[in-house]
Amino acid sequence: MASPTDLFKLARDNPVVFIEKVLKVAPREGGEFVPFNLFDAQRDFLNKVHIRGKRQASFEIVDKARRLGMSTAIQGWAFTQIISRQGINGLVMAHEREPAKEIFTMFKNFWYQLPPDFRALYYCDQPGCNHQHDKCVFDYKEKQRWDFAWNSKFVTATAKSEESQRGSAQHFLHLSECASYENPELLIPALLPSVPKGSPGIYVFAESTAKGQSGWFYDTFMQAQENVKRIADGRKAQSLWRPHFYPWFWEQSYRTRDYHNEDGLLEVDDLHTDEEAHLREVYNLDDEQLGFRRYIIHTELGGDVELFRQEFPGNWEESFLYNQTQCFDGARLSRMMSLAKAE
């Protein structure tokens, strides 16, 4: 293991490498903490953030499939910023209290799983004092706060907290599952003025699974997509946000053989065979990935194929199509959009 000073420099200069080399996380299946080996989507996203953050303030909006670990990756990034820079204020906004508490616990675990000699860098240097430079404040209404003596702090709050809209400048802001906020059109515009927008090292992340074609998340993502076109055409940018999309099949664990027959092939299902053939062709999916899709549809989503497209979309257009009162077939709409792109 590198020296504590070298690890500090690594966190400051190359956060993505620091996350994988030093941080530990609790595995999904339970058990002891393990090294934070980034998934493909996590690594791709953080590398892009690292490059952009060196040049300018980083405003990233992420539309994603469920359970890709994006919140975990963003918290790893937040942690490296707060331990390697002075005077950093970090705020994470979750849609409900339990996710907020889970995020705060994750942040605490990052700290307590650090190598002891590295953590000792942050001990108080006053004679006779062995206190660490951290203080936790738990269960304060809808907020949890961690104050560090090097003038940085990390706060988690819920979108229901009135107090979360007030405070000092935010150098790191994470809007987690923001499509599920009750009043995002009021809450988020109240938060964004607290973010200094003109310098590198500022990070704002809005990430969520999509929830239909309305609301702050949908509108902002579409504006960011339009902005990409404007920049490609040589026109002036009109949005700070940069869009990202990560489909379900980027996750390598999303595979199963549960729907294979004795010959190792997917069993024929007249309801889905044509669509599965289309998915195989467009996304180059294999039998085990298609097996996972069937498994989730029939065991977790009550057979609702349209809901799978929202929770586990294959492209960003598809992610916004689901509506419980829609009149059109989502599968046909998604296929038509894929064919239009190909042309």
Side-chain angles (χ1 to χ4, degrees), residues 93 141-143 157-165 187:
M93 186 78 64
K141 295 184 180 178
E142 294 292 332
K143 298 175 67 175
T158 70
K160 300 175 183 178
S161 171
E162 293 294 332
E163 295 182 20
S164 62
Q165 301 181 38
L187 175 62

Side-chain angles (χ1 to χ4, degrees), residues 6-8 10-12 14-23 76 79-80 83 114 118:
D6 288 339
L7 290 179
F8 177 85
L10 185 64
R12 181 192 62 195
N14 200 332
V16 180
V17 175
F18 177 88
I19 287 170
E20 293 207 84
K21 281 196 170 218
V22 181
L23 297 190
F79 185 80
T80 63
I83 67 169
L114 287 175
F118 178 61

Side-chain angles (χ1 to χ4, degrees), residues 141-170:
K141 295 184 180 178
E142 294 292 332
K143 298 175 67 175
Q144 295 177 304
R145 187 179 77 247
W146 194 329
D147 295 331
F148 293 89
W150 56 93
N151 198 30
S152 292
K153 68 179 179 181
F154 177 77
V155 176
T156 61
T158 70
K160 300 175 183 178
S161 171
E162 293 294 332
E163 295 182 20
S164 62
Q165 301 181 38
R166 309 186 186 98
S168 55
Q170 301 299 334

Side-chain angles (χ1 to χ4, degrees), residues 9 29-30 80 178 225 244-245:
K9 292 178 180 178
E29 61 273 15
T80 63
C178 54
Q225 286 288 354
H244 305 263
F245 173 75

